[in-house]
Amino acid sequence: MTQLLIDADSIVYKACFNVVTVDEAFEKFNSKLNYIKDDLWSDELHIYLKGVENFRSVDFPLYKANRPKADPASIVPELYAMLEEEEVGIQSDGCEADDLVRTAAHECKHNEDDFVVVAIDKDLFCDPFNYYNPDKSEQFSLTQKEADFNYYSQLLTGDSTDNIKGLHRVGPKTAAKLLSSTNEWKNLVIREYKERFNKDYEDVLTFVGHLIHIKRNEKDWFDIGFGDFYDRKIDVEKVGKLLGYDI
């Protein structure tokens, strides 16, 4: 049976919208999971949720700092607590739910198991896998070229949703134009960073990639050829200022 690898954080938040009690939210959460099971004809759910801490926030405290602070009246924390108490899903430890989803997907691929990645987060659309968007009830697949395009595009643009700055004034359209000019996307990304950051480009690109990259296994740190974030002992304050953060 097809394994459904679910990045469930978005489902948690939507389940808490327009409800009064955590029991109502829990019911909505389970209702959505049942809908996904029926839509994809599979009962084999693997549910992944955010945990207490992740390496991105530890290494860069401004990660996701642009997001509105949680409403004190929100029942989101209560729902997460209930899911933990009811042993629903796996909470991430030291990483994020999408890291666990991508790791599980690569394990399935290695074992030649059928699987679908259930997610709305574009960060996960960086592999040639089968996907399902639970917000749109939409299934789709990516080729290797499409997946690589998404990955290198994010290295150029950063991710404003998570407060990850990329190249100044390079949005999705500009990134697409740059990537369409060559088939050597890795070299293009390196060149663009080098043109803008000169002698500091290796540290800056490694820093951005460290935050963007979704892990395929526990030790899968971003390394485009210069060593990873920890190997290079990145000066976060210096790199942050170069990228335009108010540090």
Side-chain angles (χ1 to χ4, degrees), residues 7-8 21 28 38 65 94 97 124 132 140 153-154 160 169 173 175 188 191 196 217 225 241:
D7 181 354
T21 69
K28 281 182 66 177
D38 291 343
L124 275 168
Y132 176 83
F140 61 97
S153 179
Q154 277 206 284
S160 59
R169 304 186 85 170
K173 290 183 179 180
L188 178 137
R191 185 186 73 226
R196 288 164 172 79
N217 58 66
K241 288 180 178 177

Side-chain angles (χ1 to χ4, degrees), residues 151-159 164-168 170 178 185-210 212 222 224 226 239 242-243:
Y151 184 72
Y152 287 109
S153 179
Q154 277 206 284
L155 288 177
L156 292 168
T157 64
D159 187 342
I164 304 172
K165 295 181 184 291
L167 297 179
H168 182 55
V170 175
L178 288 169
W185 291 342
K186 175 181 173 180
N187 291 337
L188 178 137
V189 169
I190 292 172
R191 185 186 73 226
E192 292 296 321
Y193 272 84
K194 188 173 184 178
E195 287 182 357
R196 288 164 172 79
F197 296 103
N198 301 310
K199 63 182 178 63
D200 295 304
Y201 80 96
E202 293 183 359
D203 278 355
V204 177
L205 176 51
T206 300
F207 171 81
V208 173
H210 182 65
I212 289 287
F222 175 82
I224 202 167
F226 314 133
V239 168
L242 288 170
L243 283 164

Side-chain angles (χ1 to χ4, degrees), residues 63-234:
Y63 178 66
K64 294 187 177 180
N66 57 334
R67 294 189 178 186
K69 291 186 177 180
D71 182 347
S74 172
I75 60 173
V76 169
E78 293 181 60
L79 180 53
Y80 273 112
M82 178 176 282
L83 293 172
E84 183 177 14
E85 182 179 335
E86 296 293 330
E87 298 184 342
V88 176
I90 299 172
Q91 291 195 342
S92 58
D93 182 8
C95 60
E96 296 183 85
D98 46 10
D99 293 297
L100 297 183
V101 171
R102 192 180 187 201
T103 295
H106 278 266
E107 289 176 354
C108 285
K109 181 183 178 182
H110 176 76
N111 296 330
E112 299 184 349
D113 296 329
D114 290 333
F115 67 94
V116 174
V117 173
V118 178
I120 64 169
D121 193 341
K122 65 183 184 298
D123 298 350
L124 275 168
F125 303 155
C126 55
D127 286 302
F129 296 157
N130 296 318
Y131 295 88
Y132 176 83
N133 184 323
D135 283 0
K136 300 179 179 179
S137 301
E138 175 184 84
Q139 296 185 58
F140 61 97
S141 299
L142 295 177
T143 64
Q144 186 67 63
K145 185 174 182 179
E146 290 169 333
D148 288 345
F149 180 92
N150 292 340
Y151 184 72
Y152 287 109
S153 179
Q154 277 206 284
L155 288 177
L156 292 168
T157 64
D159 187 342
S160 59
T161 303
D162 292 339
N163 199 32
I164 304 172
K165 295 181 184 291
L167 297 179
H168 182 55
R169 304 186 85 170
V170 175
K173 290 183 179 180
T174 301
K177 185 176 180 180
L178 288 169
L179 293 170
S180 67
S181 68
T182 179
N183 291 322
E184 300 294 329
W185 291 342
K186 175 181 173 180
N187 291 337
L188 178 137
V189 169
I190 292 172
R191 185 186 73 226
E192 292 296 321
Y193 272 84
K194 188 173 184 178
E195 287 182 357
R196 288 164 172 79
F197 296 103
N198 301 310
K199 63 182 178 63
D200 295 304
Y201 80 96
E202 293 183 359
D203 278 355
V204 177
L205 176 51
T206 300
F207 171 81
V208 173
H210 182 65
L211 300 177
I212 289 287
H213 181 73
I214 307 301
K215 297 172 69 177
R216 293 164 291 192
N217 58 66
E218 187 177 355
K219 297 181 179 180
D220 180 34
W221 305 112
F222 175 82
D223 181 355
I224 202 167
F226 314 133
D228 65 41
F229 177 89
Y230 304 110
D231 291 335
R232 297 190 62 82
K233 297 180 173 58
I234 302 291

Side-chain angles (χ1 to χ4, degrees), residues 9-10 35 51 81 100-101:
D9 286 333
S10 66
Y35 178 87
L100 297 183
V101 171

